[in-house]
Amino acid sequence: MAETHRIAGTGRLAGAKPVRFTFDGEPHAGREGDTLASALLANGVHLVGRSFKYHRPRGILSAGAEEPNALVGIHRDAARRTPNVRATVQELYDGLTAVSQNRWPSLAFDIGAVNDLASPFFSAGFYYKTFMWPKAAWAKLYEPNIRSAAGLGVAPDKPDPDHYSSRFAHCDVLVVGGGAAGLAAALSAAESGARVILCDEQAGFGGAMRYESGARIDGLDGWDWTQAVARRLSEMDGVTLLARTTAFGYYAQNFVGLVERVTEHMAEPGDLPRERLWQVRAKRVILATGSIERHMVFAGNDRPGIMLASAARTYLNHYGVSVGRTVGVYTANESAYRGAIDLKKAGVDVRVIVDLRDNPTGPAIDEAKGLGIEVLPGRAVTSVGGSLRVKSITVQPKTGEGTGRLIPVDALLMSAGWTPSVHLFSQSRGKVAFEPGTQRFVPGTYAQDCASVGSCNGTDDLAAAVREAVAAGERAAKAAGRSGGARPAIRVEASEGWSAGMVGAAPGAGKGTKVKAFVDFQNDVTAKDIRQAVKEGMRSIEHVKRFTTNGMATDQGKTSNLHGLAIAAEMLGKDIPEVGLTTFRAPYTPVTYGAIVNHARGELFDPTRRTPIHGWEERHGAVFEDVGQWKRAWYYPQAGEDMHAAVNRECRTVRQAAGLFDASTLGKIEVVGPDAAAFMELLYTNPWQKLEPGRCRYGIMLREDGFIYDDGVVGRLAHDRFHVTTTTGGAARVLNHMEDYLQTEFPDLSVWLTSASEQWAVIAVQGPKSRDIIAPLVEGIDLSDGAMPHMSVREGKICGVPTRLFRMSFTGERGFEVNVPADFGEAVWEALWAEGRKHGACAYGTEAMHVLRAEKGYIIVGQDTDGTVTPDDAGLDWAVGKRKPDFVGIRGLRRPDLVAPGRRQLVGLRTKDPKTVLEEGAQIVADPKQPVPMTMIGHVTSSYWSENCGHSIALAVIEGGRARMGQTLFVPMPSTTIEVEVCDTVFFDQKGERLHG
Amino acid sequence: MAEIALAARRQKHAGRKASAGSATLTAAAPASRLVLRAPDLSLASLSRALDVTLPTAPKSSAASDGLRRGALWLGPDEWLVIDEDGADLEALCAGAASLHSAVDVSHRNLAILVEGPGAAACLNAGCPQDLSLRAFPVGACSRTVLGKIEVVLLRTAETAFRVEVWRSFSDYAWDFLEEAARDS
């Protein structure tokens, strides 16, 4: 079939490259520059989909982004199947494959259409009424069926092979909409020297000039003028032109989200991103978003072949396509006449113009009559013939008197008037104002630095719109601090204008219950549904909307909102503004997840942090665990070992010989300044003033409420310099916490904080052989117990590079933590490893580290504490300076609840069966025979098998725990109840002799 | 006592290069870096000690006349000092004998050089700042955001930037910039 409806000598695609495409498997011919909709119409195809609820045959309503009906699937390959693409927006490319949706087995014969016959059961609010009883039916019957019936199109089930991009941009003036007004505003701003971004959702600039044939500007046809201005703008410095780019969201402080469709129109996208998300911060925004034509609400108005008058005109004047051979027009305003005139002049048989108005007058009416088109004023279209395509219309006086006259047509153009596109203005939190004379909402009170120009502002006259736009562009540039250049002189010599039209249902919508006069095509909402909603008590338009789903489809009611509002207002006997307009929300049109996520997928979903020693760990078979964003070596299984065996061996080896552990992820903060000690006194519970340089102390940090926030070993390097360590997870927030207090509470202190977490690679060497391992590599530090006792820090060299060497232990063994600049970390580790091998040392991971510290009863903040544990609860009261006058949390610690008896205290637990390992998080009760729900007196915080002890060990917080030593308690589990005995938290080397051994 | 073998420095991303779109990425050579904190009264003596006039205007940097050394303003009392010849900056500051905090972060950060006509577009894929020459001229610097991480950005020429990033975030930074360069 070869473009039977393309009319030679019309449109702008003459000479365009021919392209082939298929629709539901049927091959068709089109042209480069076509949309899928224009190409289908060129081939006489109007039936393109089935409606959502009633499965009624649907055609193409519009020629733009407002399209509610012509939603199709576009299939590039198995992974690229995009559902719900508007055929009116999708540009044609060679080989495009489109399929219709929501039909089975075929578009022409669809089983689901029985819903149309059963429609009395699917009236407004039927979800809320029908599926209430019986309750049991919901999960098994209603929900699965509703789910399978709900939704349009089918989402692809394979990973998206495309990539998406993102760009932050700043400009002086962002102009949204590239019609005559937007172009004029952009030109005016750019001439003033402003940095301008102009975006338009269509494939090119021109806006309404795409279909208007009566405009002349600066001696040019309206369309040619827009193309000339766009060219001129593209050559100017500081101007960014973005076609195929939708401004979908208007956020705070002139932050506007745009999505640019980069490759949707290309047969071969190459390496280009499919879409590019622009996040624009504009000093001023100019909205030139135009207006959208409304359909007439009458019985059968959804029949394929019935479409907006401006759409039919676009298909003729831009694409060279006639939407029918025998065309009728149904209107309540003058603009539709222009469509009839253009079609008539192109040689199409325009049978009739049915005008709801009694005495329509104006130049367009005269011209239509002059061309011999029959005009029937004061009449309504009351029904239509045909099922898969309109075949005829029945025309009756709008008073309902007289008999209907049947007029055969194969296309019907309709226009109820124009709705200014105030979506973005409303999103900017601007308040719309109702104009009673024209029955429309226009921008009223502005909330941001923004202006509206052209028909979105209710300025219908082209000359006035261009004047307004030029002034707005100049004003915006000036407000952004740019001025100069000449104000562009734009002369509008001829233009089309139109009157207001109507809102609500036309007389032909009927009062009966069977008539389907559609208000919202995409959600199948009819005029009677809205009337019914009001009858059932809905008073606010917000309730009417939710009850009927009017305006809730993906088109967000671009064509339907005002009609629905008018019908509800009429039923309620109120004025439209009293019933209110629903709020417009982002996005203006649907945005893909791909565009929103853009680069943040795969490896870029979230940073993966690796330590300087990661490569060695990988080469030595470490299994890694995720700790926040870090990858940490968890354990190092040798041949034949499972995790258990590996961890047991590592734990044993550390206590018998030694182990190397990568502790680089610990947070490190350097606290420097003459008031460093004073600051430490305030941030930690411990006393610091008397700590000598070269010594370390275990510090506890509280929140204001007295609960433990973080802990770590702190070394004093000099009188005015502390090397603070934090937990791995606490690194960032502890620095923030410290900065917060320093800047807001203690700003008079001369001290500064610097994160040094990543400056240092940290290698813990722990175990009886640890000193023997490091000694041969260390220079300038006396490692003897006398010179460097437990809890001290020295600066010197190891392997010839600078080190901060800590003598400290998180295992209970003699131990060192070797800090070296990060780039030396791996080489120093390898040198230590070589020494360690001589002494039978192993590398151990975080799991063994956890077991070893639990054997010693050392807590892990965030595991054994949960934000409700005080130092005393954790058995760490010794770390709170009793004579200190102040520190963060000191008042919190005195709260009655925090000193009351019976608080949960950290204790050890031993299971009666030494082989049983408790579940971390398990609840503890005193009497397992009590009825459920039992009184829970605590829970297990840490639990492991201890190879060194030969039995399981656990830490727990239990009410009055320290007074329960030796008591038997119970841990009820789903299948059994475990008996445990309360014991001390230290399971291994209770005297702590091994620290020095 | 046997001689101790010197541990070799293993610079992350050493020698790495990438090119896509209109931008190239190069791993910068090692450098000395210092986080310097100081009150106004100390600036004159610290500037003399470092041979760089510590800048006091937001988003600005200063370079030494004779040395490959620069100071980047990061906050009202905070600078990142970078010396590409590896000088001991902490020791230099100690010579000033005025109130300050100097912390060596030479290994904490590394730098990725982003160059080419698409350099700004590449960075703007994840950096929300206005990188036009008007707002971010040569010499401008800022602690800012790149995708999901923090970086310090310095414009070294009209089409060249230095991205200072913490070591463990540099894999992400590199991957992000390489991906973004495709669309630059």
Side-chain angles (χ1 to χ4, degrees):
Chain A
M1 205 157 99
E3 303 189 278
T4 50
H5 286 66
R6 198 82 74 175
I7 303 184
T10 63
R12 304 186 180 101
L13 303 189
K17 218 175 105 189
V19 296
R20 290 154 300 131
F21 71 102
T22 65
F23 179 59
D24 278 346
E26 183 91 18
H28 293 289
R31 295 180 191 186
E32 222 165 53
D34 263 325
T35 61
L36 176 60
S38 71
L40 285 167
L41 292 170
N43 291 288
V45 178
H46 277 259
L47 172 66
V48 291
R50 288 276 176 170
S51 74
F52 177 51
K53 191 157 116 186
Y54 301 132
H55 289 247
R56 284 168 68 99
R58 287 286 164 81
I60 295 161
L61 179 77
S62 74
E66 69 271 33
E67 180 61 38
N69 280 340
L71 306 180
V72 299
I74 301 293
H75 296 180
R76 279 183 188 266
D77 55 41
R80 294 177 173 91
R81 292 164 176 263
T82 313
N84 299 330
V85 175
R86 287 153 296 165
T88 53
V89 171
Q90 176 65 51
E91 293 173 60
L92 209 59
Y93 56 80
D94 199 35
L96 180 142
T97 303
V99 294
S100 59
Q101 304 184 149
N102 214 34
R103 82 289 186 271
W104 187 84
S106 77
L107 187 53
F109 178 74
D110 172 24
I111 295 284
V114 297
N115 283 6
D116 198 20
L117 301 174
S119 61
F121 303 107
F122 296 140
S123 60
F126 83 105
Y127 281 106
Y128 307 115
K129 300 165 188 165
T130 313
F131 301 116
M132 295 295 285
W133 302 277
K135 200 177 166 195
W138 178 256
K140 289 214 166 86
L141 180 65
Y142 297 151
E143 187 177 333
N145 277 293
I146 291 170
R147 282 197 185 282
S148 74
L152 276 171
V154 181
D157 54 7
K158 293 191 166 54
D160 186 349
D162 286 313
H163 71 284
Y164 300 78
S165 182
S166 124
R167 194 74 60 85
F168 287 92
H170 296 252
C171 62
D172 295 321
V173 184
L174 168 69
V175 183
V176 181
L183 286 162
L187 185 63
S188 165
E191 292 282 10
S192 303
R195 257 202 297 171
V196 175
I197 295 175
L198 169 64
C199 69
D200 192 286
E201 64 187 357
Q202 306 236 28
F205 298 92
M209 295 302 141
R210 198 171 265 101
Y211 59 81
E212 280 200 18
S213 53
R216 282 195 76 75
I217 310 172
D218 291 344
L220 296 171
D221 161 75
W223 169 260
D224 293 338
W225 178 83
T226 60
Q227 301 314 293
V229 173
R231 253 194 319 278
R232 188 162 148 206
L233 283 166
S234 72
E235 288 158 4
M236 293 175 80
D237 280 342
V239 176
T240 305
L241 292 185
L242 298 173
R244 301 186 177 94
T245 303
T246 304
F248 63 82
Y250 194 141
Y251 305 96
Q253 292 168 320
N254 274 354
F255 190 68
V256 183
L258 321 176
V259 66
E260 181 183 4
R261 290 168 293 281
V262 182
T263 63
E264 290 294 80
H265 63 292
M266 294 180 184
E268 301 289 340
D271 189 45
L272 289 169
R274 181 182 176 207
E275 292 179 326
R276 188 181 288 125
L277 177 73
W278 290 81
Q279 296 177 77
V280 179
R281 181 80 67 186
K283 287 186 184 151
R284 289 291 184 281
V285 172
I286 295 178
L287 298 173
T289 46
S291 48
I292 291 173
E293 197 170 30
R294 289 187 304 277
H295 58 281
M296 297 292 287
V297 179
F298 61 98
N301 62 345
D302 63 330
R303 200 71 70 221
I306 302 179
M307 62 167 56
L308 298 174
S310 62
R313 218 178 157 200
T314 305
Y315 292 120
L316 180 71
N317 291 342
H318 191 75
Y319 299 101
V321 172
S322 168
V323 298
R325 307 237 186 260
T326 314
V327 177
V329 176
Y330 182 25
T331 186
N333 86 97
E334 196 180 333
S335 68
Y337 282 80
R338 304 279 182 189
I341 292 163
D342 288 348
L343 280 163
K344 180 79 180 174
K345 284 180 175 169
V348 176
D349 178 9
V350 181
R351 278 290 163 87
V352 65
I353 298 175
V354 182
D355 196 327
L356 206 54
R357 300 171 299 173
D358 290 323
N359 291 302
T361 53
I365 289 121
D366 297 340
E367 192 179 348
K369 286 179 179 165
L371 287 167
I373 302 172
E374 184 183 10
V375 176
L376 299 174
R379 289 183 176 73
V381 175
T382 52
S383 69
V384 303
S387 62
L388 299 180
R389 172 87 181 261
V390 62
K391 284 195 175 121
S392 63
I393 54 173
T394 302
V395 180
Q396 239 177 315
K398 68 178 180 190
T399 52
E401 295 155 2
T403 51
R405 174 179 153 198
L406 190 99
I407 303 172
V409 295
D410 65 356
L412 181 68
L413 281 50
M414 55 183 169
S415 177
W418 294 79
T419 309
S421 292
V422 294
H423 308 76
L424 289 175
F425 170 78
S426 175
Q427 284 184 29
S428 81
R429 293 175 295 113
K431 293 267 178 294
V432 292
F434 190 70
E435 276 186 2
T438 53
Q439 302 244 308
R440 61 188 179 183
F441 287 97
V442 293
T445 312
Y446 284 83
Q448 299 204 38
D449 289 332
C450 150
S452 300
V453 298
S455 72
C456 74
N457 196 35
T459 310
D460 299 327
D461 177 64
L462 181 61
V466 166
R467 251 196 326 274
E468 177 176 78
V470 168
E474 199 177 47
R475 233 181 6 256
K478 198 169 175 191
R482 317 284 173 212
S483 54
R487 170 190 273 226
I490 301 171
R491 217 171 54 256
V492 176
E493 290 140 4
S495 66
E496 301 175 359
W498 54 74
S499 50
M502 67 162 308
V503 288
K511 300 285 181 203
T513 53
K514 291 208 173 130
V515 171
K516 286 203 186 70
F518 285 92
V519 174
D520 182 323
F521 292 106
Q522 202 180 341
N523 263 356
D524 273 349
V525 180
T526 63
K528 82 175 157 50
D529 289 332
I530 296 185
R531 294 195 184 104
Q532 188 189 335
V534 174
K535 276 186 200 151
E536 294 194 15
M538 308 302 142
R539 290 294 175 268
S540 152
I541 194 62
E542 298 287 355
H543 292 150
V544 171
K545 170 180 169 172
R546 281 154 187 84
F547 195 67
T548 62
T549 72
N550 192 54
M552 285 171 68
T554 59
D555 69 332
Q556 290 195 47
K558 290 186 175 61
T559 49
S560 65
N561 278 340
L562 211 56
H563 280 319
L565 184 56
I567 295 166
E570 188 192 351
M571 282 294 287
L572 290 163
K574 289 182 176 171
D575 290 336
I576 285 176
E578 279 183 77
V579 182
L581 185 64
T582 55
T583 312
F584 294 99
R585 297 183 205 285
Y588 173 69
T589 52
V591 178
T592 64
Y593 281 110
I596 293 167
V597 169
N598 57 72
H599 296 301
R601 50 192 281 187
E603 276 297 299
L604 294 176
F605 174 67
D606 204 38
T608 301
R609 305 176 71 182
R610 297 175 186 86
T611 74
I613 303 155
H614 187 89
W616 187 95
E617 290 158 2
E618 246 178 3
R619 290 193 295 280
H620 286 75
V623 176
F624 291 89
E625 71 166 334
D626 290 331
V627 180
Q629 293 172 327
W630 287 103
K631 293 279 178 202
R632 298 197 71 181
W634 195 10
Y635 58 97
Y636 295 83
Q638 294 184 349
E641 278 183 344
D642 61 3
M643 177 174 173
H644 223 67
V647 171
N648 287 346
R649 173 183 49 75
E650 289 170 20
C651 288
R652 224 170 30 232
T653 310
V654 171
R655 297 221 186 276
Q656 286 169 4
L660 262 61
F661 174 72
D662 179 2
S664 303
T665 62
L666 283 183
K668 298 159 211 84
I669 299 165
E670 212 145 309
V671 178
V672 182
D675 294 329
F679 178 72
M680 292 296 292
E681 289 270 323
L682 288 163
L683 265 289
Y684 283 83
T685 60
N686 320 61
W688 300 95
Q689 295 283 16
K690 289 185 181 155
L691 184 71
E692 284 171 26
R695 295 309 304 262
C696 302
R697 184 162 285 169
Y698 169 74
I700 296 176
M701 173 180 275
L702 306 183
R703 298 186 311 218
E704 203 72 84
D705 56 15
F707 295 126
I708 295 175
Y709 186 60
D710 202 66
D711 69 350
V713 169
V714 177
R716 189 169 198 172
L717 297 171
H719 185 74
D720 63 351
R721 189 178 290 252
F722 288 83
H723 178 117
V724 173
T725 66
T726 75
T727 55
T728 296
R733 61 178 165 78
V734 167
L735 181 63
N736 289 344
H737 174 88
M738 285 179 149
E739 274 291 356
D740 192 1
Y741 277 97
L742 178 56
Q743 292 181 26
T744 62
E745 300 293 329
F746 318 123
D748 49 320
L749 295 183
S750 269
V751 60
W752 292 274
L753 314 169
T754 304
S755 173
S757 298
E758 297 223 38
Q759 167 70 13
W760 304 101
V762 183
I763 304 162
V765 185
Q766 299 279 317
K769 302 286 187 192
S770 55
R771 182 165 55 188
D772 300 336
I773 292 169
I774 67 166
L777 306 173
V778 173
E779 289 170 281
I781 302 173
D782 183 348
L783 296 175
S784 67
D785 283 342
M788 191 176 181
H790 179 58
M791 294 303 263
S792 56
V793 57
R794 298 287 179 272
E795 292 182 272
K797 284 196 165 177
I798 187 165
C799 302
V801 303
T803 181
R804 286 182 182 172
L805 182 66
F806 285 75
R807 170 131 185 232
M808 57 181 280
S809 176
F810 199 42
T811 58
E813 302 295 322
R814 170 191 292 278
F816 295 88
E817 289 197 357
V818 179
N819 287 247
V820 291
D823 280 355
F824 296 118
E826 199 176 35
V828 171
W829 173 283
E830 284 170 1
L832 288 166
W833 177 246
E835 288 299 322
R837 299 295 280 169
K838 297 176 192 167
H839 297 279
C842 69
Y844 67 100
T846 49
E847 188 63 21
M849 177 269 280
H850 275 100
V851 177
L852 292 166
R853 65 88 204 177
E855 288 173 349
K856 294 295 300 176
Y858 298 151
I859 65 160
I860 287 186
V861 170
Q863 173 161 346
D864 301 297
T865 71
D866 60 3
T868 66
V869 175
T870 66
D872 183 59
D873 297 342
L876 297 170
D877 197 42
W878 57 266
V880 180
K882 302 297 179 299
R883 296 201 194 112
K884 287 174 61 169
D886 195 15
F887 58 83
V888 174
I890 194 167
R891 295 273 304 265
L893 284 180
R894 291 175 192 152
R895 290 187 294 159
D897 274 6
L898 269 62
V899 294
R903 284 191 60 79
R904 292 190 173 191
Q905 294 170 327
L906 191 77
V907 292
L909 290 182
R910 283 191 65 171
T911 50
K912 288 281 162 79
D913 171 6
K915 297 261 184 257
T916 303
V917 179
L918 296 168
E919 294 253 3
E920 287 176 354
Q923 296 292 327
I924 298 159
V925 301
D927 171 15
K929 298 204 174 68
Q930 63 185 304
V932 175
M934 298 187 190
T935 303
M936 296 174 289
I937 59 170
H939 67 271
V940 179
T941 60
S942 293
S943 174
Y944 310 92
W945 168 255
S946 166
E947 185 75 355
N948 289 313
C949 297
H951 58 77
S952 74
I953 58 170
L955 297 173
V957 285
I958 296 175
E959 287 172 15
R962 288 200 289 272
R964 292 181 190 264
M965 289 298 150
Q967 266 188 28
T968 296
L969 297 174
F970 300 88
V971 180
M973 299 301 289
S975 56
T976 179
T977 294
I978 303 166
E979 252 181 285
V980 296
E981 187 185 313
V982 181
C983 63
D984 191 73
T985 54
V986 184
F987 295 92
F988 187 84
D989 180 28
Q990 297 214 330
K991 290 184 182 157
E993 289 161 338
R994 298 177 68 92
L995 286 168
H996 315 285
Chain B
M1 186 170 155
E3 190 157 318
I4 297 167
L6 185 71
R9 182 165 187 172
R10 295 185 196 164
Q11 192 210 349
K12 201 169 161 77
H13 307 300
R16 194 168 172 189
K17 271 181 179 301
S19 181
S22 311
T24 61
L25 310 181
T26 311
S32 296
R33 295 177 179 86
L34 188 74
V35 171
L36 179 63
R37 309 289 301 269
D40 290 348
L41 280 174
S42 304
L43 297 196
S45 65
L46 286 166
S47 294
R48 270 194 307 279
L50 286 167
D51 196 14
V52 177
T53 307
L54 293 168
T56 51
K59 264 171 70 177
S60 72
S61 69
S64 159
D65 280 339
L67 303 166
R68 295 202 301 159
R69 185 179 299 162
L72 285 60
W73 184 97
L74 295 186
D77 64 350
E78 182 175 2
W79 295 264
L80 176 64
V81 185
I82 302 173
D83 185 292
E84 293 183 78
D85 293 317
D88 186 346
L89 298 168
E90 206 176 318
L92 290 174
C93 289
S98 57
L99 181 59
H100 71 273
S101 152
V103 176
D104 180 22
V105 293
S106 303
H107 290 239
R108 184 188 76 175
N109 293 11
L110 55 82
I112 302 171
L113 309 178
V114 184
E115 291 159 323
C122 173
L123 287 161
N124 269 145
C127 176
Q129 290 227 30
D130 184 353
L131 299 181
S132 66
L133 278 164
R134 203 141 63 178
F136 206 86
V138 176
C141 65
S142 176
R143 179 159 46 196
T144 182
V145 165
L146 180 74
K148 298 190 176 181
I149 62 170
E150 177 187 297
V151 297
V152 170
L153 194 61
L154 169 69
R155 185 175 219 137
T156 53
E158 285 203 4
T159 60
F161 295 84
R162 181 183 181 96
V163 179
E164 286 274 327
V165 57
W166 285 13
R167 197 178 200 282
S168 73
F169 290 112
S170 65
D171 288 334
Y172 175 91
W174 190 283
D175 291 348
F176 187 95
L177 290 169
E178 198 168 341
E179 173 76 13
R182 285 166 78 184
D183 190 38
S184 69

